[in-house]
């Protein structure tokens, strides 16, 4: 059952990426190329978080270490999808 849930999590991550990427580069104008490059480099978090987990689980419970690493990451993704992508954007209806 746990293997199925891990596979389902990977599928959910794959489904989020096509929605997050356009939100992240929207409105960057001449900085779109740099923004996309930084976003792709940000994927490195997928390589760093397992290492953080490995070090934490040496000192604390496996499940607690997993929660300490994963929950903040997914909370940030949730925040970004709901509100974070619009931070600094001009409100709709106001044109200069």
């Amino acid at each position: 059952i746990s293997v199925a849930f891990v596979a389902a999590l990977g599928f959910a991550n794959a489904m989020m990426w096509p929605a997050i990427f356009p939100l992240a580069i929207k409105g960057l104008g001449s900085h779109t190329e740099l923004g996309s490059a930084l976003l792709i480099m940000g994927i490195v978090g997928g390589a760093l978080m397992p290492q953080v987990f490995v070090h934490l689980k040496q000192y604390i419970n496996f499940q607690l270490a997993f929660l300490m690493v994963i929950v903040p990451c997914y909370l940030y993704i949730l925040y970004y999808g709901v509100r974070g992508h619009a931070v600094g954007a001009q409100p709709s209806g106001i044109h200069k």
Side-chain angles (χ1 to χ4, degrees), residues 3-24:
V3 171
F5 279 113
V6 169
L9 183 60
F11 178 73
N13 289 338
M15 294 298 105
M16 281 190 298
W17 183 248
I20 291 171
F21 193 86
L23 286 174

Side-chain angles (χ1 to χ4, degrees), residues 1 10-11 19 27 29 46 51 59 66 85 91:
I1 291 176
F11 178 73
Q51 293 303 311
Y59 303 104
F66 187 75
H85 70 278

Side-chain angles (χ1 to χ4, degrees), residues 5-92:
F5 279 113
V6 169
L9 183 60
F11 178 73
N13 289 338
M15 294 298 105
M16 281 190 298
W17 183 248
I20 291 171
F21 193 86
L23 286 174
I25 62 171
K26 180 181 174 185
L28 290 181
S30 64
H31 301 290
T32 301
E33 198 172 292
L34 176 63
S36 336
L38 291 172
L39 189 59
I40 295 299
M41 286 190 289
I43 295 171
V44 132
L48 295 177
M49 289 302 139
Q51 293 303 311
V52 171
F53 170 75
V54 166
H55 291 293
L56 277 176
K57 81 177 190 96
Q58 292 176 6
Y59 303 104
I60 60 176
N61 179 325
F62 181 89
Q63 285 85 6
L64 181 59
F66 187 75
L67 288 173
M68 288 175 67
V69 171
I70 296 301
V71 169
C73 293
Y74 280 101
L75 285 175
Y76 182 77
I77 292 170
L78 175 65
Y79 161 75
Y80 186 82
V82 174
R83 298 194 127 202
H85 70 278
V87 169
Q90 192 173 25
S92 297

